[in-house]
Amino acid sequence: EKGGYDHFMLKEIYEQPRAIKDTYRGRLLADEGIVRMAGIDQNMERFLNANRIIIVACGTSWHAGLVAEYIFEDLARIPVEVEYASEFRYRNPVITENDVLIAISQSGETADTLAAIKMAKEKGAFVFGVCNVVGSSIARETHAGAYTHAGPEIGVASTKAFTTQITVLTLIALKLAKEKGSLSEAEFHGYLTELEGIPAKVEKALESNALIETIATEYKDSTNCLYLGRGYNFPVALEGALKLKEISYIHAEGYPAAEMKHGPIALIDEEMPVVVIATRKGHYEKVVSNIQEIKSRSGRIIAVVTEGDESVKELADHVVEVPETSEPLTPLLTTIPLQLLSYHIALMRGCNVDQPRNLAKSVTVE
Ligand code: F6R
């Protein structure tokens, strides 16, 4: 059942090229220049007339929501707010009939997310679900939705659910961008082609597995770890930190790279591993100067870079390459090495990778 892999988590990490393809199959028609999604087409007016989109989710799904915020605002020019479902439902939020709420949930059973949906519906908002589990409570409770089609995710640590959620949300953003005319035809087509090529690039990113395993041996006894990223890769830093803490029990924090100087830099010494996402597109020079700041304080740097990068190599202790892609799609690639790093570190620490202590795959109580 683990398909020859030692753990479900590793199997699910390796399934991502296939899972992403399944997510866009029948929806992404690059040759015809179309994104086909019935749940969006049938409700196009609601999306186009929306004052804003509110995204609610928990955990890893919330991180996918943060990536989506960058994509929706950048490509479709629609204002987005991303909320923890647990905070949103209890803080008497302002919701109107002109709001669209997107709920993201792998299991479709998360209690707080479900409660946020019910509240938004009562206030007249249009509610759209992005779920993996077909027929789940959230899928049934929403007005419309799009499944991720990632296949069952058994490992408690979410992996393929995250990348397929981002894929669905990217398709939605592209569809709305096309309808609104916020992207030129050429840009729109460029993104479709690039997204179609992502599974092959994920495959390429997975080739770093052996290198990452070697890196893991050096950091498996760390007690803390910092993850930094900017722009589209800030949420990826949060997700990398969550992956490490939940399965290896190493304390980890994700930060926007520029926030480092507002506090976390005080933590940096020769004992502190810092994972930095420094892809060539997206504030590259600024991230490189953050790396310099870490180096001058003797921090240990593990950098995720674009293939062929030279400058970071000179500064970092380790570099892991991912293929080049357009900036909004980089999270689909930069996430991969961070998943593998947490997997190998957890395994070396003797942790139960698929079933970390105190955690449940679906959180049906608040
Ligand atoms: C992290 C993880 C959790 C879930 C969260 C939301 O790896 O699995 O943080 O992402 O409990 O679950 P869903 O997406 O099922 O609503």
Side-chain angles (χ1 to χ4, degrees):
E1 52 178 7
K2 290 182 196 140
Y5 291 95
D6 291 340
H7 300 93
F8 283 111
M9 183 184 178
L10 192 62
K11 169 175 176 268
E12 288 158 8
I13 290 172
Y14 273 87
E15 272 174 353
Q16 287 174 109
R18 203 258 320 132
I20 293 170
K21 253 187 225 165
D22 286 346
T23 301
Y24 70 52
R25 178 169 299 120
R27 293 170 166 163
L28 171 65
L29 308 170
D31 293 342
E32 296 155 58
I34 302 175
V35 175
R36 193 159 57 195
M37 298 178 91
I40 304 292
D41 277 319
Q42 287 156 12
N43 301 286
M44 190 52 94
E45 290 309 307
R46 296 295 308 238
F47 280 96
L48 295 181
N49 297 329
N51 288 337
R52 56 174 181 167
I53 292 175
I54 305 165
I55 297 179
V56 295
C58 303
T60 290
S61 297
W62 183 76
H63 295 152
L66 286 178
V67 174
E69 175 178 25
Y70 286 79
I71 300 178
F72 275 95
E73 295 202 346
D74 192 8
L75 307 188
R77 309 302 297 152
I78 301 173
V80 176
E81 278 168 50
V82 189
E83 305 261 4
Y84 283 117
S86 56
E87 285 298 313
F88 182 76
R89 63 179 286 206
Y90 284 118
R91 68 168 174 73
N92 194 17
V94 180
I95 309 172
T96 72
E97 288 166 9
N98 291 324
D99 288 325
V100 168
L101 185 121
I102 299 180
I104 309 172
S105 176
Q106 187 286 129
S107 64
E109 302 297 343
T110 302
D112 282 319
T113 309
L114 195 55
I117 291 168
K118 289 183 178 157
M119 187 177 82
K121 275 172 74 181
E122 272 165 31
K123 304 209 168 162
F126 174 73
V127 183
F128 190 92
V130 175
C131 297
N132 190 40
V133 177
V134 175
S136 55
S137 304
I138 291 175
R140 284 183 278 117
E141 195 63 44
T142 41
H143 294 119
Y147 286 114
T148 44
H149 299 306
E153 190 182 67
I154 310 292
V156 165
S158 194
T159 52
K160 63 177 178 171
F162 179 68
T163 45
T164 55
Q165 285 163 347
I166 294 174
T167 303
V168 164
L169 292 157
T170 304
L171 288 169
I172 297 173
L174 285 169
K175 196 165 169 57
L176 297 177
K178 164 134 181 158
E179 198 70 25
K180 286 189 67 180
S182 54
L183 286 178
S184 71
E185 278 291 312
E187 287 168 326
F188 177 75
H189 284 269
Y191 282 123
L192 293 193
T193 311
E194 196 55 41
L195 185 56
E196 195 174 36
I198 284 290
K201 293 185 177 182
V202 171
E203 203 82 67
K204 200 83 199 297
L206 287 165
E207 287 172 12
S208 297
N209 185 47
L211 166 66
I212 294 167
E213 193 174 357
T214 316
I215 298 172
T217 57
E218 242 179 88
Y219 299 97
K220 67 176 181 14
D221 298 317
S222 300
T223 49
N224 288 284
C225 189
L226 205 54
Y227 286 74
L228 304 176
R230 282 182 90 117
Y232 281 99
N233 284 295
F234 156 53
V236 175
L238 296 180
E239 173 60 8
L242 176 60
K243 277 305 76 108
L244 186 70
K245 78 182 100 173
E246 69 180 331
I247 61 169
S248 75
Y249 319 139
I250 294 173
H251 175 243
E253 279 194 76
Y255 259 94
E259 274 292 305
M260 187 176 68
K261 61 171 77 66
H262 300 284
I265 198 165
L267 293 167
I268 293 174
D269 61 14
E270 56 290 336
E271 302 288 311
M272 180 63 119
V274 187
V275 178
V276 189
I277 304 154
T279 44
R280 209 173 295 123
K281 297 200 182 116
H283 321 285
Y284 177 71
E285 277 78 25
K286 295 195 166 156
V287 177
V288 171
S289 68
N290 291 137
I291 292 175
Q292 268 152 348
E293 288 160 9
I294 301 162
K295 193 170 174 65
S296 65
R297 287 160 185 84
S298 309
R300 310 287 304 280
I301 301 154
I302 305 159
V304 177
V305 301
T306 310
E307 236 163 33
D309 185 282
E310 290 300 333
S311 355
V312 175
K313 206 170 281 169
E314 287 169 19
L315 298 166
D317 297 273
H318 314 271
V319 292
V320 181
E321 296 189 336
V322 294
E324 173 131 44
T325 187
S326 51
E327 197 188 343
L329 303 182
T330 52
L332 293 168
L333 303 181
T334 51
T335 299
I336 307 297
L338 306 191
Q339 293 170 342
L340 289 168
L341 183 66
S342 63
Y343 171 79
H344 287 296
I345 290 181
L347 201 61
M348 287 169 194
R349 290 166 69 91
C351 299
N352 185 339
V353 172
D354 282 336
Q355 283 193 296
R357 67 188 182 202
N358 309 340
L359 290 173
K361 185 66 187 162
S362 79
V363 183
T364 52
V365 291
E366 58 172 288

